[in-house]
Amino acid sequence: DNGTALTIVTDNITVSGFTITNSGYPSASLGTGLLLENAHNCTVIGNIITGNYVGVFLQDSAENTFRTNQIGGNIYNLILQNAMNNDIDASNVVNWKPYI
């Protein structure tokens, strides 16, 4: 219940098979499950991200791939800020619905 659970600040990282939950308080910088900050060409696959203030926050990050993640039950499930050319397809489930 305090802080960001996982922060990625470099390129070419893979996050797979994790459950990320209960990260913290109502502030995007303090209560994020998964934060990609200035990260590029990362792969996020097969994770469960729930019970956070912000589930996933992409900040100044591009060309990342998201597949088969379950993102739900967060106050804000997915925030993209200055995040371009990310590949987030319908295999990702956001609040129990395919991401469109």
Side-chain angles (χ1 to χ4, degrees), residues 4-5 20 24-25 51 55 58 64 68-69 72-73 82 84 89 92:
T4 296
I20 301 172
Y25 295 99
L58 276 70
N64 298 292
T68 65
N69 297 288
N82 299 323
M84 295 196 255
D89 73 4
N92 296 282

Side-chain angles (χ1 to χ4, degrees), residues 1-3 5 9 18 24-25 38 43 49 76:
D1 283 335
N2 189 8
V9 293
F18 285 91
Y25 295 99
N38 199 27
T43 302
I49 304 170
Y76 297 99

Side-chain angles (χ1 to χ4, degrees), residues 17-46:
F18 285 91
T19 297
I20 301 172
T21 189
N22 297 328
S23 65
Y25 295 99
S27 165
S29 63
L30 295 177
T32 302
L34 174 60
L35 170 63
L36 278 75
E37 186 173 7
N38 199 27
H40 304 87
N41 299 310
C42 295
T43 302
V44 179
I45 186 168

Side-chain angles (χ1 to χ4, degrees), residues 25-90:
Y25 295 99
S27 165
S29 63
L30 295 177
T32 302
L34 174 60
L35 170 63
L36 278 75
E37 186 173 7
N38 199 27
H40 304 87
N41 299 310
C42 295
T43 302
V44 179
I45 186 168
N47 300 285
I48 299 169
I49 304 170
T50 187
N52 305 287
Y53 185 72
V54 177
V56 177
F57 187 6
L58 276 70
Q59 183 176 24
D60 302 316
S61 297
E63 300 177 358
N64 298 292
T65 301
F66 285 72
R67 295 286 184 271
T68 65
N69 297 288
Q70 296 179 36
I71 305 167
N74 306 287
I75 302 299
Y76 297 99
N77 288 306
L78 180 60
I79 295 176
L80 306 175
Q81 182 178 25
N82 299 323
M84 295 196 255
N85 299 324
N86 291 289
D87 184 4
I88 307 171
D89 73 4

